């Protein structure tokens, strides 16, 4: 402790001296700092900018370009069909179902995972024996790669598998279903697995948000005679709101694009009953090598996410990002 | 070694023929012989210069899906054998996981400027699509001297030209557990009615009669396609694939027959969610572990079962029988569904020529015997080498294969990729709910945009 303060004290004046010495020397040149700032910006931003343009913007433009062609991936790009890929997409019941499934998963993620994550985070924010262990356990599924999760759950959920055995051993054999083979419940099964995987992420994010709420506020409220519920309702939750909004953003974008777990669990089946926009895109693009059509799907998905992101930034995240986004936009 | 001697003999023969043709006065017969040998003469001069040791170095990259033994070892030693006979040729073997290879790497490579010189494909309409890239070399003249001895080679043609060569063939049929059949007291069915009564007995004895991996969709397609082969004359099947439409009434009959069969509840519980090859819960795993008595699959199935099961005595318990007959229906009762693994060539003329020579080497009897030998799967393209097959069930399949009235390529491969995938999806949907709307969807599936 004492040594670290000594070092801090030793460093402090030296640093201050340095900056003081640097200050006046630069002051006379008017253009100097501006030029320096520009150079700095260029050097620091260029790599990120090049990567962003090369790996994000250019592919989006190329995908949009491909989407106007009927193109199998072989041979030249010469069969221009205008917007027909888009009209085909919206005429295909499988794609309409894929949109429905994607939206259902997205809404369910927010409506069910949200309150669950908040309540578990509030619980885990209290002091009790084994809290650290429980936090680790809750976060553990998120650490698994989604592919591993998919394979593991497809084994657990196979007919007569672990899930069925557990239900039977509790005398709940009547609840046993064909989890992945029944077209009516397969989407629900997929959602449960998604929740298992991603709930931990929400909890950890919200726990971090809870750490940032000053204790003094709660203490003051308690001194004023607020009940624990009132403290949670009036102090904790409002102050947690920015974190919840960020969690919502990540969850919704993630749900709109969900692919890996769904693909491994069901490949979008049976009979498209669990297909999402991304699995549909993969089927059409990679398996059917209809790259023009799949590009159109990609553009539609991009448009979905982009429009959502803009609206969310504008209306939900506005307070959190004031000065960063809002000023640039406005 | 044997093949290089054969090659030298061919070279001499061709050179003599050309010389004779050049000397003779231009009668009609000699001019035709000139035209047939003109394509081959370039290869003869090349192989002649090879033996003279003046040929330029040729480097070939070989993409295949032989990531596991024993085929990996067979391919590695084939490269060694070929390089020893052709000192100017170097082949780099690049085994790539199957789905990655077929779905992603090959399409992208054929779009790029440096595709692999030898790459694996399954022939049919997909090969036709690949040919459209302009990168696949027409090797008709390079293989004309020996291709007639290769079974199934016509499946690797596009526009009547040879754009690839098969190195092994596959046949789809029933892989069944002899021990379970014996225990339940049933025999191998020859008609669909017998199969259905066997199923009833198997279910009564507590077994899932037939396992199917519907999650992957293509195993469902095997079923519907076999019903189509039984219900439709060969000409109808051929023209349906060529015109990419299954609107002929016999295909509707096939759908109806399929629905009637599905009604007998022949498959394992929850078959719509079962994968075909992954893990003990897959359809192959269920047969291997004795939960199911049989499954309709290609002849790679025994090796898949071995991979997902700990049952050491499996190979002796496994039997094979063809898809049952449906007496009275319009199609061939002994037609088989199948396919094979083949290779195509890309690159410069010298590379394509070396590639064709390498494919000839792979199709030589000694290498064929290794390709279908112990632990491997499939039938040889040189029928005499089916004696090298060690697994009794596969031997049965190979013997039947020789007597089949004809072999039809899996429909999803015979069609171009998208119509083929549409067909698989439509059939899988029909499996999930066999109603008239889904049957109509099968008929139109290849046409779906």
């Amino acid at each position: 402790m004492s040594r670290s303060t000594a070092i801090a004290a030793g460093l402090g004046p030296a640093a201050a001296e340095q900056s003081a010495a640097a200050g006046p020397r630069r002051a006379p040149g008017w253009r100097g700092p501006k030029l320096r700032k520009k150079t700095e910006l260029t050097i620091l931003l260029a790599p990120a900018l090049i990567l962003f343009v090369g790996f994000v913007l250019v592919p989006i433009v190329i995908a949009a370009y491909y989407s106007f062609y009927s193109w199998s991936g072989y041979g030249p790009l010469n069969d221009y069909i205008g917007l027909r890929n888009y009209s085909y997409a919206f005429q295909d019941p499988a794609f309409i179902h894929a949109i429905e499934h994607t939206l259902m998963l997205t809404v369910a993620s927010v409506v069910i995972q949200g309150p669950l994550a908040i309540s578990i985070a509030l619980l885990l924010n209290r002091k009790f024996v084994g809290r650290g262990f429980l936090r680790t356990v809750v976060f553990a599924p998120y650490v698994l790669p989604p592919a591993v999760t998919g394979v593991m759950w497809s084994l657990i959920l196979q007919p007569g598998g672990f899930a069925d055995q557990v239900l039977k051993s509790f005398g709940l054999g009547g609840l046993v279903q064909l989890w992945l083979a029944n077209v009516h419940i397969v989407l629900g099964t997929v959602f449960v697995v998604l929740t298992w995987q991603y709930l931990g992420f929400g909890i950890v994010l919200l726990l971090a948000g809870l750490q940032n709420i000053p204790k003094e506020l709660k203490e003051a409220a308690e001194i004023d005679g607020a009940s624990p519920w009132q403290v949670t309702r009036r102090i904790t939750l409002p102050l947690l709101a920015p974190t919840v909004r960020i969690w919502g953003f990540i969850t919704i974008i993630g749900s709109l694009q969900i692919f890996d777990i769904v693909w491994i669990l069901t490949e979008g089946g049976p009979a498209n009953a669990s297909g999402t926009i991304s699995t549909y895109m993969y089927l059409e693009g990679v398996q059917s090598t209809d790259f023009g059509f799949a590009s159109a799907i990609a553009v539609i998905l991009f448009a979905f996410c982009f429009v959502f992101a803009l609206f969310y930034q504008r209306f939900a995240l506005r307070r959190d990002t004031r000065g960063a986004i809002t000023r640039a936009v406005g | 070694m044997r093949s290089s001697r054969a090659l030298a003999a061919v070279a001499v023969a061709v050179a003599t023929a050309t010389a004779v043709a050049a000397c003779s006065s231009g009668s009609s017969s000699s001019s035709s012989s000139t035209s047939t040998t003109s394509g081959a003469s370039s290869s003869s001069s090349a192989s002649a210069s090879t033996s003279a040791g003046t040929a330029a170095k040729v480097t070939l990259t070989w993409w295949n899906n032989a990531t596991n033994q024993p085929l990996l070892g067979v391919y590695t030693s084939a490269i060694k054998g070929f390089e020893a006979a052709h000192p100017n040729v170097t082949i780099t073997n690049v085994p790539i996981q199957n789905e990655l290879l077929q779905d992603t790497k090959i399409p992208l490579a054929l779009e790029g400027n440096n595709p692999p010189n030898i790459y694996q494909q399954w022939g049919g309409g997909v090969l036709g699509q690949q040919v459209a890239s302009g990168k696949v070399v027409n090797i008709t003249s390079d293989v004309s001297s020996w291709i007639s001895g290769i079974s199934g080679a016509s499946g690797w043609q596009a526009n009547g030209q040879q754009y690839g060569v098969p190195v092994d063939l596959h046949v789809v049929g029933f892989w069944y557990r002899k021990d379970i059949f014996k225990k339940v007291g049933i025999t191998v069915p020859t008609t669909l009615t017998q199969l259905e009564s066997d199923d009833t007995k198997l279910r009564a004895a507590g077994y899932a009669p037939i396992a199917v991996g519907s999650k992957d969709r293509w195993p469902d397609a095997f079923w519907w396609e076999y019903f189509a082969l039984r219900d439709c004359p060969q000409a109808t099947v051929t023209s349906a694939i060529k015109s990419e439409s299954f609107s002929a009434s016999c295909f509707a009959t096939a759908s109806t027959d399929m629905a009637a069969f599905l009604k007998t509840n022949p498959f394992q519980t929850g078959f719509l969610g079962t994968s075909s090859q992954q893990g003990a819960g897959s359809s192959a795993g269920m047969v291997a572990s004795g939960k199911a008595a049989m499954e309709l699959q290609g002849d790679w199935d025994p090796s898949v079962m071995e991979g997902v099961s700990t049952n050491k005595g499996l190979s002796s318990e496994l039997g094979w029988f063809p898809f049952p007959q449906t007496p009275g229906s319009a199609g061939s009762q002994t037609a088989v569904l199948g396919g094979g693994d083949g290779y195509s060539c890309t690159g410069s003329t010298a590379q394509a020529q070396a590639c064709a020579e390498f494919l000839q080497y792979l199709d030589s009897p000694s290498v064929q015997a290794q390709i279908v030998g112990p632990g491997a799967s499939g039938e040889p393209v040189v029928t005499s080498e089916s004696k090298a097959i060690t697994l009794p069930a596969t031997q049965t399949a190979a013997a039947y294969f020789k007597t089949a009235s004809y072999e039809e390529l899996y429909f999803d491969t015979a069609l171009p990729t998208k119509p083929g995938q549409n067909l698989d999806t439509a059939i899988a949907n029909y499996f999930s709910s066999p109603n008239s709307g889904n049957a109509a969807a099968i008929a139109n599936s290849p046409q779906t945009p």
Side-chain angles (χ1 to χ4, degrees):
Chain A
M1 186 70 184
S2 64
R3 193 192 287 182
S4 70
T5 36
I7 289 169
L11 267 179
E17 218 170 277
Q18 233 173 22
S19 63
R25 218 184 326 139
R26 266 192 275 116
W30 282 98
R31 302 184 138 231
K34 259 192 176 172
L35 188 74
R36 212 189 114 163
K37 203 173 178 186
K38 272 187 183 170
T39 324
E40 239 176 54
L41 277 175
T42 314
I43 292 173
L44 292 176
L45 284 182
L49 203 66
I50 290 169
L51 286 177
F52 183 73
V53 170
F55 289 97
V56 179
L57 290 186
V58 172
I60 290 171
V61 172
I62 292 177
Y65 176 65
Y66 286 167
S67 72
F68 298 121
Y69 290 84
S70 170
W71 187 50
S72 71
Y74 298 107
L77 199 65
N78 53 13
D79 188 3
Y80 179 80
I81 55 166
L83 290 171
R84 248 186 295 165
N85 278 332
Y86 292 90
S87 65
Y88 286 151
F90 287 105
Q91 281 164 19
D92 185 358
F95 182 60
I96 304 298
H97 285 146
I99 294 178
E100 287 169 8
H101 298 151
T102 307
L103 292 180
M104 280 156 79
L105 286 177
T106 307
V107 170
S109 295
V110 173
V111 174
I112 297 174
Q113 287 177 15
L116 255 180
I118 292 171
S119 30
I120 297 176
L122 286 172
L123 277 178
L124 289 179
N125 201 37
R126 289 162 176 267
K127 282 203 175 111
F128 58 87
V129 181
R131 182 175 74 160
F133 174 73
L134 268 182
R135 280 182 178 183
T136 314
V137 167
V138 158
F139 190 62
Y142 184 70
V143 179
L144 284 181
V148 173
T149 305
V151 171
M152 186 182 83
W153 276 93
S154 60
L155 292 178
I156 292 176
L157 292 167
Q158 68 189 23
F162 182 73
D164 293 359
Q165 296 303 330
V166 168
L167 283 176
K168 276 179 194 158
S169 65
F170 283 106
L172 297 170
L175 292 179
V176 168
Q177 295 284 342
L178 295 172
W179 305 111
L180 295 173
N182 183 337
V183 290
H184 301 293
I185 61 168
V186 65
L187 196 64
T189 310
V190 166
F191 176 71
V192 169
V193 177
L194 289 176
T195 305
W196 183 86
Q197 168 105 64
Y198 292 110
L199 192 64
F201 169 72
I203 293 170
V204 165
L205 201 68
L206 292 167
L207 273 174
L210 287 171
Q211 307 289 313
N212 282 338
I213 299 173
K215 280 207 178 85
E216 294 79 4
L217 293 175
K218 288 186 202 171
E219 283 166 9
E222 274 162 15
I223 289 166
D224 289 345
S227 70
W229 167 243
Q230 280 175 320
V231 171
T232 305
R233 172 75 188 79
R234 303 281 171 196
I235 310 268
T236 313
L237 286 183
L239 289 173
L240 194 60
T243 318
V244 174
R245 285 194 286 268
I246 285 288
W247 167 84
F249 187 73
I250 295 171
T251 300
I252 293 172
I253 293 288
S255 302
L256 287 176
Q257 301 175 346
I258 193 74
F259 173 77
D260 33 26
I261 290 184
V262 181
W263 186 255
I264 290 169
L265 279 177
T266 67
E267 295 186 9
N272 297 321
S274 62
T276 65
I277 300 179
S278 298
T279 62
Y280 181 83
M281 180 172 75
Y282 181 83
L283 269 173
E284 294 295 333
V286 179
Q287 294 209 329
S288 299
T289 64
D290 194 347
F291 288 106
F293 184 66
S295 298
I297 305 297
V299 170
I300 294 170
L301 178 58
F302 168 74
F304 257 55
C305 294
F306 189 65
V307 168
F308 162 76
L310 282 184
F311 271 86
Y312 202 86
Q313 296 271 17
R314 187 77 183 83
F315 295 107
L317 292 181
R318 198 175 185 191
R319 280 175 286 180
D320 309 324
T321 51
R322 193 181 299 262
I325 303 274
T326 42
R327 199 185 299 164
V329 172
Chain B
M1 199 57 202
R2 204 192 299 179
S3 89
S4 74
R5 211 178 295 156
L7 209 74
V10 168
V12 169
V14 169
T16 316
T18 324
V20 169
C23 292
S24 68
S25 60
S27 75
S28 67
S29 67
S30 69
S31 70
S32 80
S33 88
T34 314
S35 68
T36 49
T37 51
S38 61
S41 63
S42 63
S43 80
S44 77
S45 63
S47 55
S49 60
T50 305
S51 52
T54 52
K57 288 252 174 254
V58 177
T59 311
L60 301 174
T61 313
W62 182 21
W63 283 11
N64 57 63
N65 70 358
T67 45
N68 292 323
Q69 300 294 358
L71 202 53
L72 178 61
V74 171
Y75 279 1
T76 313
S77 74
I79 290 176
K80 273 188 198 145
F82 183 78
E83 285 177 344
H86 300 77
N88 65 319
V89 181
T90 313
I91 299 176
T92 315
N93 184 25
V94 186
I96 300 168
Q97 192 275 334
N98 183 58
E99 273 73 20
L100 183 65
L101 177 72
Q102 301 292 341
D103 294 343
T104 317
K105 302 259 318 179
I106 288 174
L108 287 177
L110 286 175
E111 246 340 89
N113 291 324
N114 195 18
N117 306 107
I118 314 170
Y119 75 89
Q120 185 168 24
Q121 33 68 18
W122 298 317
V126 179
L127 173 62
Q129 252 181 320
Q130 293 172 344
V131 167
S133 72
K135 303 270 164 56
V136 187
V137 179
N138 181 350
I139 51 172
T140 311
S141 58
D142 299 301
V143 302
S144 59
S145 59
W146 52 273
I147 198 74
S148 59
I150 303 303
S151 354
S154 62
W156 277 261
Q157 288 178 353
N159 315 318
Q161 302 292 304
Q162 205 76 40
Y163 280 96
V165 174
V167 298
D168 62 23
L169 297 173
H170 296 302
V171 53
V172 177
F174 281 89
W175 303 87
Y176 75 100
R177 288 287 295 264
K178 289 195 272 191
D179 52 333
I180 297 178
F181 270 45
K182 202 173 169 190
K183 209 187 276 176
V184 178
I186 53 175
T187 52
V188 167
T190 53
T191 65
L192 196 66
T193 327
Q194 285 172 14
L195 177 65
E196 286 171 1
S197 84
D198 283 355
D199 289 349
T200 317
K201 287 174 194 157
L202 283 163
R203 196 168 279 290
Y207 295 100
I210 308 175
V212 63
S214 287
K215 181 183 172 189
D216 294 332
R217 299 178 300 136
W218 53 265
D220 295 352
F222 283 172
W223 279 92
W224 184 85
E225 285 161 20
Y226 253 123
F227 276 105
L229 292 188
R230 293 289 177 263
D231 286 335
C232 299
Q234 184 181 5
T236 314
V237 174
T238 311
S239 75
I241 285 171
K242 200 167 183 195
S243 63
E244 298 179 17
S245 163
F246 295 100
S247 54
S249 64
C250 64
F251 293 110
T253 315
S255 297
T256 318
D257 289 351
M258 182 73 244
F261 183 70
L262 277 168
K263 245 192 195 142
T264 65
N265 191 19
F267 299 126
Q268 80 275 19
T269 314
F271 65 92
L272 292 176
T274 307
S275 67
S276 57
Q277 305 184 335
Q278 280 111 30
S282 65
S283 60
M286 289 185 75
V287 178
S289 64
K291 282 185 187 157
M294 57 186 128
E295 84 166 320
L296 181 67
Q297 263 295 358
D299 50 24
W300 52 83
D301 210 24
S303 60
V304 175
M305 288 185 194
E306 223 159 75
V308 297
S309 151
T310 49
N311 185 350
K312 294 279 177 231
L314 184 67
S315 58
S316 62
E317 287 162 356
L318 219 51
W320 187 91
F321 63 89
F323 193 86
Q325 307 192 347
T326 55
S329 48
S332 163
Q333 299 304 308
T334 58
V336 291
L337 190 67
D341 299 296
Y343 290 96
S344 287
C345 307
T346 74
S348 67
T349 314
Q351 283 174 322
Q353 214 173 306
C355 166
E357 283 172 18
F358 181 60
L359 294 180
Q360 182 184 17
Y361 179 68
L362 288 181
D363 283 355
S364 64
S366 58
V367 181
Q368 279 291 300
Q370 290 175 42
I371 288 177
V372 301
S377 60
E379 326 292 330
V381 292
V382 181
T383 37
S384 61
E385 293 311 312
S386 56
K387 62 181 186 285
I389 297 172
T390 50
L391 193 69
T394 314
Q395 277 171 353
T396 316
Y400 184 81
F401 191 40
K402 283 185 197 165
T403 64
S405 60
Y406 70 97
E407 186 192 28
E408 185 58 52
L409 192 60
Y410 328 112
F411 292 10
D412 58 2
T413 308
L415 291 163
T417 314
K418 174 130 187 179
Q421 290 294 323
N422 284 349
L423 177 68
D424 284 0
T425 303
I427 294 172
N429 291 350
Y430 191 66
F431 260 62
S432 152
S433 51
N435 55 41
S436 57
N438 280 337
I442 294 179
N444 304 324
S445 59
Q447 305 284 335
T448 314

